[in-house]
Amino acid sequence: MEDLSRELLLIANGNELAFNEFMNRYMEGLYYHAFGILSNKEMAEEVVSDVFLEAWRNRKILSEIDNMKTWLNTIAFRKAVSYLRKEKNSTKVVSIDSLNNFNFPETETPVDGIINNEEVKALHAAIEELPPKCKHVFFLAKIEQLPYAQIAKVLDLSLATVNYHISAAMTALRKKMSSG
C-alpha cells in the first residue's frame, strides 16, 4: 500500500513513468471487466484507455480515493454501459438487467494447480451457464475480489441483491459440479 501511495504522489506531480506502473497494476482486471460487459476486445480496450485517461485527468486527487480498484471498476462499468448506449443509438437507459451477456474470462487461479484440467473446464462451463447478471456479480466478487458493498455501489444494486446473486451462483456451481 505504501508503494501505491508513493506512486500516486508521483502521478499527481505528472510523473508518466509512475502512471505507467499504475496502469500495469490495474489494466488486466479492468480489461476483463469491460470485456465481460461488452464481449468485444476492441471496445473493451477502448474503455480501459478511457478509464486511464480519466484517471490521468484526475491525477491530483487520486491519493484521496479510498479504494482505487473500486473507483476504477466503477468508471469502467459506466463507460462500458455508455459505449453500449452509443452503439445502440438509443436514448433509453441501459441497465445491468438489459446486458445481453457477461463473458466470464478464462483466468488462472491458485486452485487451478490443485484440480485437474477437466475439472477446470467443467467449472468454466458451469460459470458460463450462469445468467449474465449473476455471472457479472460473481466475477466482481470472486475474481476481482471486490467487497459486496462495493459491488452493490458499482452496479447500482442493493446489498441483498448482490448477496442473492453470489448465493445463486455458488448453489448453481455446486449443483453442476457435483452432478458432472
Side-chain angles (χ1 to χ4, degrees):
M1 206 53 146
E2 188 177 304
D3 286 346
L4 181 59
S5 297
R6 194 173 85 246
E7 195 174 86
L8 294 177
L9 289 174
L10 291 170
I11 293 169
N13 291 320
N15 186 313
E16 291 180 23
L17 192 58
F19 192 70
N20 279 341
E21 287 299 314
F22 175 82
M23 289 191 307
N24 288 335
R25 181 184 309 235
Y26 295 105
M27 189 175 304
E28 186 177 15
L30 289 172
Y31 171 79
Y32 284 136
H33 188 169
F35 183 81
I37 296 167
L38 298 166
S39 302
N40 180 292
K41 181 181 186 283
E42 290 79 20
M43 289 191 313
E45 289 170 350
E46 190 171 325
V47 165
V48 171
S49 293
D50 289 349
V51 169
F52 287 124
L53 181 61
E54 188 161 330
W56 180 254
R57 286 184 185 143
N58 289 295
R59 67 185 174 274
K60 299 281 186 199
I61 61 156
L62 288 180
S63 61
E64 299 169 18
I65 296 169
D66 290 332
N67 188 320
M68 189 61 64
K69 196 174 196 177
T70 299
W71 185 74
L72 292 169
N73 272 313
T74 302
I75 294 169
F77 176 75
R78 289 182 181 149
K79 289 194 176 293
V81 169
S82 176
Y83 207 106
L84 288 173
R85 281 189 190 123
K86 286 178 193 171
E87 287 292 304
K88 289 184 176 184
N89 287 332
S90 157
T91 56
K92 68 178 185 170
V93 174
V94 176
S95 73
I96 184 101
D97 293 320
S98 65
L99 298 178
N100 291 338
N101 200 357
F102 179 83
N103 291 314
F104 201 88
E106 295 279 334
T107 56
E108 286 289 320
T109 65
V111 177
D112 289 348
I114 298 170
I115 58 179
N116 67 37
N117 267 354
E118 205 172 287
E119 291 171 318
V120 171
K121 286 179 185 173
L123 179 60
H124 282 287
I127 290 170
E128 284 303 319
E129 290 178 14
L130 293 172
K133 190 173 181 180
C134 188
K135 195 182 334 177
H136 192 181
V137 172
F138 183 78
F139 170 79
L140 291 174
K142 301 303 179 188
I143 302 299
E144 288 297 310
Q145 298 182 334
L146 291 179
Y148 291 8
Q150 290 174 348
I151 295 169
K153 185 177 178 185
V154 168
L155 300 180
D156 194 27
L157 300 171
S158 71
L159 189 55
T161 301
V162 171
N163 282 320
Y164 167 79
H165 284 298
I166 297 298
S167 175
M170 295 303 286
T171 301
L173 293 176
R174 267 194 293 278
K175 185 176 179 182
K176 187 76 174 170
M177 295 305 290
S178 67
S179 68

